[in-house]
Structures are given as C-alpha cells and as structure tokens.
Amino acid sequence: MMDSEAAGHTVADPTLSLPEMVEQFLAFGFVPDFEFGEQYIQQAIGSIENHGLKHVGEGRLFHEVLPGAIERQMRDMEHTEVMIPLSGGFDSRLLLGAALRVLPPSCITCATFGMAESDDVGVAREICRKLGVRHIWIDPSSYDWTLDHVVAYARKRGELVPGLFAESATRMSELVEFYTDSRAALLSGYFGGFPTGQRLPVDHDHRDNVDAEVELFLKKNAVLTGIQRKVQPDHTSWKRFIERNRWPSHLNGATPFETLDCAFRQGQRIERNLPGKLAHMVQPFMDPVWMNHWFSLGLSQRRLQKAYVDGIRCFYPEVFTRNEWVSEPIANRVRKRLRRVLRKLRMVPERRGSPQIPTRFLERASPANNESLSRMYLEA
C-alpha cells in the first residue's frame, strides 16, 4: 500500500492507524477511500446525465455503440492496434467481436493467462483460431516470482503513478508491460459486468432499506470474513456515501448496492489498482449510451445478465465455440440446479481453494498454479 496524497487525495480515514488500515485491506482487499470513490461514481453518473436520455435499440447498441466507442477511444489515444486480455467470459469475447467490426484481425492480439487445461485458455484459443486473430498464452507456472522482485517493481511503479494498489495488480502490470507491444492499446472488459448486472446478488432488492444494502455490499466483498465484522461495524459512512451519490431517477434498474459496488469495487479495488499501461485503457463499456441502456432496464431484466447474454448470442455468434451451441443434457442441468439450491440452504459445502493460501488470491492467475508465487505468499 502506498501513500496517494501526491495524487490529490488522501487514503481512507486519516485517523486510522497503520494496523487498522492493514486489517481493512485484509477484510476487503482495499482501504475505503470515500473521496476517491465519490469522484469515480460521479464521473460515471455525470457521463450518463450529460448525454441526456437517449435510448437505442439492442441492434444499434451492439452493432454501432460498442464498436463506435472502441474506434473513437482508440482514435483519441492515437492507437491503431489493440491487445485484449481474453478469457472464457462474455465481456472480453464481446470486446473481441466488437473490435473486429472496426479493426482488421492483423491489428488485434489476444492474451490469456491460465493453465493449459483451463476453460479460459481452451475457449480463447478456439475463438482466436476461428477468427484469425493472434493469440498469446501466458502460462502462470512459467513466471518466477520473488518477494524482493515484487517489492522493487511496486516501488518503481509507485514513483511513476502515485496511488494505493495491491501486489496482485503489480504482478499483472508487469506481465502486461512485458507482453503488450508499445503500439497497441489495451482493450479492457473490466467494467463490462457492472452495468449489465453481473455483480447484482440474485435474490435481493433492498432499495428502500439502505442498511440492508450496505450489509449486503460488505458481506459480498468480504475477503476474510472474521476481520470484516471487526473493522466495519458502523454503517454510517457507507449510508452517507449512498445519500450523496444517488443515481438519476430514470435509471430504475440501479440500486444503492451498485452505488457502493461502482465506487469501491470497480473504482477503488480495480481501476485504482491498475498502474502502468493498465491505467491507460480503451474502455468501451463506460460509454454513456451503453451504461444508460442497461441501468434503465428493470432490476429483474438485469439479474443473471439474461438480456446481455442473449444479445451477445444474437449479434455476435462468432465469439462462441461450436460446443457452446450444443444443448446441455437435461440431467446435468437438473443436477446443477439442485446443487445451487442445496448450497443456498448450506447443505453442501462451498468449493474452497488451497488451505495454505487465503481464498482472495485464488484468481485466474492462481498462485496454486505457480510454485514460486505460492512460496512467496507462504514466506510473506
């Protein structure tokens, strides 16, 4: 964690002691900085309000708005090539399809970080082969990390980009700088799941109960749950933040939960944790027309991203593999649904990662898949 006063704002509550900040970081993966969060969400809300209440049909939304945003932002950044961190998820694949509407395949490179047998790598390889796009596979077991190396790189980045960021972002920044050509802009899907409803808890709508919305956010973002209750027992600061940062009235699908989720998870945990080339990305999902469309939908239409996924399947069928169009056997669907119900009733345990490494580190670039990284965490 690094002091960010040079960036024009202070980190979190200045009255907190260093041990208290460490506890908050362990609880949430970030130390809540309400000033930064307010700047971030006001930028998102302001771009929608400044654009006006312009609605477009889904055809134009997918075919014109998204490719147009990519083309416009690349022109502003004076780039003619892009690199897409491609996974098996919907957001990055949609970006690849939209980028191909405005760029030739020779100007696009995709990179996937993961084990050879992972779904991310398998899907990305097949899609790129089918679309004629260059694909780079980054094997997590091939990179040798040491704590001294990570600290030295974090210090170097901190001198160039003052701010507070996690070591996982430091590692990702170095990998991106190593693999990204200087001529290419990074095409980011980070914001994709937010306006389309991916982050929404499935069974909630407590818009009239701000306390419940705050509790839901803290619970959903807790990393080490035993610490979370200790460091944030008071909802006052979070409630005041929601009160000061209300969504425009016509966005009837936006919730207080998403006020916090945008400002602190999307803004502080993700955006602020992107030093180096990652801090200068093409982000078409932040286009005001795109955001306005999804937040204007009712809550029931945004949950589970059904409208979003259906739109991708309809307008970008080329970004799906052949196997994904084959219907899943009914028995498998029933089994999965039953397991979800039992898990909700806590009758079956959640899947857990390595008992030696905190769950928060078991991401796509999992240390469990990298001997040097596992050793580094255990030593730290």
Side-chain angles (χ1 to χ4, degrees):
M1 294 184 291
M2 308 188 74
D3 187 1
S4 66
E5 289 187 5
H9 43 74
T10 55
V11 175
D13 183 348
T15 63
L16 291 176
S17 67
L18 181 59
E20 288 172 324
M21 283 190 176
V22 171
E23 283 188 333
Q24 288 194 341
F25 187 82
L26 290 173
F28 302 113
F30 63 92
V31 182
D33 182 340
F34 291 92
E35 185 178 342
F36 178 88
E38 186 150 359
Q39 292 172 1
Y40 188 83
I41 193 170
Q42 284 300 326
Q43 181 182 1
I45 293 173
S47 67
I48 297 175
E49 289 183 317
N50 292 339
H51 186 269
L53 304 181
K54 182 179 179 181
H55 292 274
V56 298
E58 277 204 351
R60 283 194 58 201
L61 188 76
F62 282 95
H63 281 308
E64 297 179 25
V65 172
L66 205 58
I70 293 174
E71 188 174 35
R72 184 175 61 257
Q73 291 181 39
M74 285 189 64
R75 185 173 59 247
D76 292 344
M77 294 174 65
E78 300 183 342
H79 280 289
T80 57
E81 299 180 19
V82 293
M83 181 176 183
I84 304 174
L86 186 65
S87 69
F90 292 116
D91 299 335
S92 62
R93 283 198 270 175
L94 173 56
L95 286 183
L96 173 57
L100 284 168
R101 301 287 168 92
V102 293
L103 294 170
S106 59
C107 290
I108 301 173
T109 299
C110 294
T112 307
F113 193 99
M115 300 299 286
E117 63 273 16
S118 69
D119 289 341
D120 279 342
V121 173
V123 168
R125 273 180 171 161
E126 183 174 344
I127 297 298
C128 288
R129 179 189 54 77
K130 183 173 73 168
L131 298 178
V133 173
R134 180 181 176 228
H135 180 253
I136 299 172
W137 167 46
I138 306 173
D139 183 354
S141 64
S142 66
Y143 213 88
D144 189 22
W145 298 99
T146 66
L147 189 57
D148 288 343
H149 179 86
V150 171
V151 170
Y153 188 81
R155 281 180 173 160
K156 185 179 79 170
R157 294 292 346 142
E159 290 171 1
L160 299 174
V161 187
L164 180 151
F165 54 89
E167 51 72 40
S168 58
T170 303
R171 291 188 282 111
M172 187 57 68
S173 176
E174 183 164 13
L175 286 170
V176 168
E177 291 196 358
F178 182 79
Y179 283 99
T180 306
D181 189 290
S182 60
R183 297 167 300 176
L186 199 69
L187 187 53
S188 167
Y190 280 123
F191 203 79
F194 173 65
T196 56
Q198 183 185 34
R199 290 285 300 166
L200 276 172
V202 178
D203 300 317
H204 103 286
D205 185 5
H206 307 302
R207 281 177 285 188
D208 296 328
N209 186 346
V210 177
D211 268 310
E213 293 282 89
V214 170
E215 188 65 31
L216 189 65
F217 172 77
L218 296 178
K219 181 179 179 181
K220 191 172 176 63
N221 284 276
V223 176
L224 300 178
T225 53
I227 296 178
Q228 182 246 319
R229 297 304 307 165
K230 178 182 176 183
V231 301
Q232 288 293 338
D234 183 13
H235 288 183
T236 304
S237 299
W238 304 95
K239 290 167 65 176
R240 285 176 181 165
F241 186 88
I242 291 172
E243 195 64 36
R244 288 197 310 269
N245 298 281
R246 291 189 175 277
W247 295 97
S249 58
H250 79 281
L251 301 183
N252 56 344
T255 69
F257 172 89
E258 290 172 300
T259 302
L260 301 178
D261 203 58
C262 178
F264 295 101
R265 179 191 175 272
Q266 180 64 39
Q268 193 176 345
R269 183 184 285 175
I270 296 179
E271 294 282 350
R272 203 189 211 179
N273 273 302
L274 301 173
K277 287 182 181 176
L278 284 168
H280 304 284
M281 298 182 293
V282 175
Q283 301 196 67
F285 290 131
M286 293 190 77
D287 182 90
V289 180
W290 179 266
M291 287 195 291
N292 184 74
H293 174 87
W294 296 110
F295 283 127
S296 295
L297 297 180
L299 199 58
S300 60
Q301 293 176 275
R302 294 178 61 227
R303 282 198 189 104
L304 301 177
Q305 292 190 294
K306 187 177 186 309
Y308 177 56
V309 174
D310 287 348
I312 300 173
R313 287 191 180 277
C314 176
F315 299 110
Y316 290 89
E318 68 273 18
V319 299
F320 290 89
T321 65
R322 183 171 53 84
N323 291 337
E324 288 177 290
W325 291 99
V326 178
S327 296
E328 186 179 22
I330 293 177
N332 287 356
R333 279 183 279 169
V334 171
R335 193 179 296 115
K336 285 181 181 178
R337 187 167 296 178
L338 180 61
R339 185 170 182 83
R340 280 199 297 269
V341 171
L342 293 175
R343 188 174 291 147
K344 192 175 293 184
L345 296 173
R346 298 182 179 178
M347 295 178 67
V348 295
E350 294 280 355
R351 293 179 182 175
R352 298 192 182 277
S354 165
Q356 295 178 301
I357 302 173
T359 307
R360 68 174 289 260
F361 297 121
L362 298 180
E363 55 203 50
R364 281 187 175 125
S366 170
N369 300 328
N370 184 314
E371 184 180 345
S372 68
L373 204 53
S374 298
R375 185 174 61 249
M376 187 187 85
Y377 281 129
L378 292 173
E379 288 173 356

